[in-house]
Amino acid sequence: MTTPAAFLTEEMRQQAIGQKSEPRTIDVEKGAIVKFAQAIEDDNPVFNDDMAARDSRYGGLIAPPTFLRSVGVDRPSYPFDLPFTRLLDGGSDWEYFHPVRAGDRITAISEITDINERTGRMGLMIITTIVVTYRNQFDQVAATQTSTSIRY
Amino acid sequence: MAEQVYWDDVQDGAELPPVVKNPTTQQLVKYAGASGDYYQIHYDKDFAMNNDLENVILHGALKNAFLGHLMTKWMGDQGDLKRLACQYRGMDIPGTPVTAKGVVTRKYQEQGANLVDCEIWLENEKGEKTTPGSATVALPLR
């Protein structure tokens, strides 16, 4: 086995870290929440039934914890070409600060906070840590999502 | 609605009620539509096989959602999910059940909140933990 030539230099790492996406804003619609809850097969009334949710302490529908995925925030672009076409999602670490309610307007921005290369059983891989910050219409951070993306 | 769990009654090492899921290719399509993640490895078998996969695979984010379901179901209406983390270590394919499980690892009070940390994971039919993770919830007092 020969060691593949290292791709990522320290200079490239520093160029990539801090790269941000354009902000993306969506209005959280009741129907989108219910559709998401149905897709993950979670029948909790606070995600599915507006009338029942009105009697909960939220006073209306709220979104399931991973609903914010559906905001569809762009990934930050890399300031160089990556010689890989394949992409795997390594995992996610969410922190929650405010519930996401039907009717909220959520703005998301993603940012590269770390990037490294590693050689695994699939060959050379670039592992990027991306933090997405989701803010609501009151400029409160509703949640942050730290995810690991693997390109190989 | 499920009975509310109270912080006072939680014990270290207690198991969370498991949530069993039976994902199908139809569910993957529904999830793709609901989440907007249309990466073809989750519904196009030819595409998946051209990416060195044997079959279409579950979205990592769907597995993340299953673990979210485990936590929100357990913590009840009065609970607050503070953190939910998982790693996609192993792939899961539609047509085989996965079970979301969890165990309480720490119970503590911090800045006025009554918190519980849990180790959580998705387990396949062979008992392999394909998606290990952790979560923190705030629970009400009695």
Side-chain angles (χ1 to χ4, degrees):
Chain A
M1 284 289 288
T2 54
T3 308
F7 168 75
L8 194 70
T9 63
E10 183 57 27
E11 192 186 347
M12 290 160 78
R13 286 190 67 237
Q14 294 309 325
Q15 284 170 357
I17 292 169
Q19 287 283 320
K20 288 182 182 175
S21 70
E22 291 297 313
R24 181 168 170 84
T25 299
I26 64 149
D27 291 317
V28 177
E29 294 166 5
K30 283 180 191 172
I33 290 178
V34 172
K35 215 167 206 178
F36 190 90
Q38 288 173 345
I40 66 172
E41 295 184 352
D42 186 337
D43 60 3
N44 191 326
V46 295
F47 307 141
N48 288 279
D49 181 345
D50 193 32
M51 291 310 282
R54 283 183 199 199
D55 293 333
S56 76
R57 69 183 167 111
Y58 300 107
L61 278 187
I62 59 164
T66 61
F67 172 82
L68 289 170
R69 280 269 184 176
S70 67
V71 172
V73 67
D74 290 326
R75 293 165 188 277
S77 46
Y78 294 92
F80 40 77
D81 288 331
L82 280 180
F84 308 102
T85 56
R86 293 171 183 175
L87 172 67
L88 276 182
D89 191 349
S92 266
D93 188 338
W94 297 85
E95 278 194 85
Y96 297 102
F97 306 100
H98 293 281
V100 173
R101 300 163 189 279
D104 277 356
R105 172 164 286 194
I106 298 289
T107 299
I109 295 181
S110 65
E111 177 177 356
I112 295 175
T113 59
D114 200 8
I115 182 166
N116 290 290
E117 70 177 17
R118 197 184 298 165
T119 306
R121 67 194 150 85
M122 298 176 295
L124 183 65
M125 307 183 290
I126 299 290
I127 297 159
T128 310
T129 305
I130 296 171
V131 177
V132 186
T133 303
Y134 299 92
R135 287 178 186 274
N136 62 23
Q137 65 274 31
F138 307 108
D139 205 31
Q140 298 167 319
V141 176
T144 60
Q145 176 196 5
T146 302
S147 53
T148 313
S149 125
I150 301 161
R151 299 218 168 228
Y152 65 104
Chain B
M1 280 197 201
E3 219 173 277
Q4 181 60 49
V5 61
Y6 292 94
W7 186 83
D8 319 60
D9 302 334
V10 172
Q11 294 187 334
D12 274 1
E15 289 179 16
L16 277 53
V19 172
V20 181
K21 297 286 190 176
N22 289 287
T24 58
T25 48
Q26 185 183 54
Q27 184 174 22
L28 300 197
V29 170
K30 280 168 77 176
Y31 183 77
S35 70
D37 180 348
Y38 292 106
Y39 192 28
Q40 297 94 322
I41 60 171
H42 305 300
Y43 55 84
D44 180 338
K45 194 168 178 179
D46 290 341
F47 187 95
M49 290 175 79
N50 283 329
N51 276 268
D52 298 331
L53 300 168
E54 286 172 21
N55 199 338
V56 295
I57 59 170
L58 267 61
H59 300 74
L62 177 59
K63 304 199 288 178
N64 196 172
F66 290 165
L67 291 170
H69 186 177
L70 171 79
M71 295 312 299
T72 52
K73 187 173 182 184
W74 179 62
M75 73 187 189
D77 288 357
Q78 303 298 316
D80 279 317
L81 185 63
K82 298 291 187 186
R83 187 163 167 259
L84 177 69
C86 68
Q87 295 179 314
Y88 311 127
R89 292 271 178 80
M91 295 176 190
D92 289 290
I93 57 170
T96 63
V98 286
T99 306
K101 294 185 175 180
V103 67
V104 172
T105 54
R106 187 176 167 226
K107 176 181 164 178
Y108 54 107
Q109 291 175 302
E110 205 174 84
Q111 292 171 355
N114 311 300
L115 302 172
V116 177
D117 289 346
C118 299
E119 183 190 339
I120 57 176
W121 65 93
L122 274 194
E123 197 172 292
N124 65 18
E125 277 183 308
K126 296 175 193 159
E128 296 161 340
K129 295 179 181 181
T130 62
T131 317
S134 57
T136 302
V137 295
L139 294 178
L141 292 175
R142 271 200 184 279

